[in-house]
Each structure stands twice: as structure tokens, then as C-alpha cells.
Amino acid sequence: MGNIIEYNGYQASIEYSSEDGILFGRVLHINSLITFEASDASAIEAAFRGAIDEYLEYCKRANVEPNKAYSGTLNVRIGSERHRNIAFSASKEGCSVNEAICKAIDLFFENRSKSTIQNGSFLTGNQWEKVPQDDWKWSLAMQSDDDGGDNERRH
């Protein structure tokens, strides 16, 4: 996404106001509401950096945790077919559905630096591919089956 900028481990979304003729931003993933604005791209980045530096200094003085707390639990709607596929795959791997999903997420982030967009499809180290109806399919690495041949397992 082209309108997200990062600094010192923080992110902000940037938008343009045609009414005011300015760029404005909002810091993401924190409990406080921090906004900033500027007239051009280089100035908006400087305004963001300044806002983060001021925020971190405030948190230090006030003894406040600057980051939003995440519980580590989330509810993801994946559809019944994906749910079934991940459950079957997890049992074949000898792990829980939760562990299988965590492994998939870890692999996604490990391969993130290899990410590209090609023809509207998001590809990460050949692990993800777009399939019809804008659905996503997980493709595990090639593994040998019992007869010694390669068997690509798809979930």
C-alpha cells in the first residue's frame, strides 16, 4: 500500500485533502490519536518523524506504554472449505490448526522481502498464488511422498 510510511518501528497512513491542498497523516497501531500535516511529500515524512519523536518523549515522561497492546488472539473468517483444508493439513503434519496457521504466517513474513505484484496477483517466494474468484490458495513447498516422487500439497 503506497500511502503507509514507517519510522522507528511506527507506521502512519497518509492521505491528500483536495479541499485544503495538504497531505495529512495519522499514526497507526497506538492507543493515542496522533495526526500531522504538511504541504509536500518530504515535509510530511519530516512531520511524521517529529510527531513520533514527540510522542515517544511524552510517553517516557508520563510513564505510558507507547504501543497498542495486542492480545495474540484474532478471529479470521476463512470459509468452511479453507477451514477443512487447514484442519486436514494440520492433522497430516501432526500439529494443531492454530500451529499450522502460525507456521503459514511465519513463512509469509520470512518470504516478505521477496514479495512482488504481478498481473494483479500477490506473490511471495512462490508461496502464494491468486486463483479464480479472488480467492487465495496456500501452496506448501514441494515434499517427497512415499514412492519417492515429488508431491506438491495445496491448502
Side-chain angles (χ1 to χ4, degrees):
M1 196 168 191
N3 64 339
I4 301 293
I5 59 176
E6 296 185 24
Y7 169 70
N8 201 19
Y10 290 87
Q11 292 182 325
S13 63
I14 305 299
E15 296 183 40
Y16 174 70
S17 170
S18 59
E19 184 178 304
D20 300 321
I22 62 164
L23 295 168
F24 64 95
R26 180 176 65 88
V27 178
L28 306 172
H29 315 297
I30 61 173
N31 292 321
S32 300
L33 174 62
I34 299 177
T35 61
F36 50 93
E37 62 183 53
S39 58
D40 60 54
S42 61
I44 197 74
E45 290 203 29
F48 171 50
R49 289 189 300 271
I52 291 299
D53 291 342
E54 287 178 29
Y55 174 65
L56 292 174
E57 184 58 37
Y58 161 77
C59 290
K60 185 177 179 181
R61 283 191 322 268
N63 198 26
V64 173
E65 172 58 41
N67 298 317
K68 182 177 181 178
Y70 289 93
S71 68
T73 302
L74 64 126
N75 182 9
V76 180
R77 291 169 188 84
I78 61 172
S80 59
E81 188 62 27
R82 279 193 196 110
H83 194 168
R84 181 180 189 278
N85 288 342
I86 195 76
F88 272 60
S89 297
S91 65
K92 286 181 184 177
E93 294 293 322
C95 65
S96 69
V97 169
N98 190 68
E99 289 171 310
I101 292 170
C102 287
K103 287 178 184 180
I105 291 169
D106 290 344
L107 186 58
F108 171 82
F109 285 110
E110 286 172 17
N111 291 312
R112 190 171 154 186
S113 63
K114 301 174 194 172
S115 300
T116 58
I117 303 270
Q118 297 176 353
N119 302 325
S121 296
F122 178 68
L123 304 172
T124 305
N126 293 326
Q127 299 298 317
W128 296 95
E129 62 185 45
K130 193 160 185 187
V131 294
Q133 293 88 34
D134 291 325
D135 198 6
W136 293 93
K137 179 169 46 177
W138 176 251
S139 177
L140 292 177
M142 299 292 279
Q143 295 185 3
S144 296
D145 57 19
D146 291 341
D147 63 8
D150 284 335
N151 180 27
E152 185 179 39
R153 298 180 335 174
R154 295 191 182 274
H155 307 283

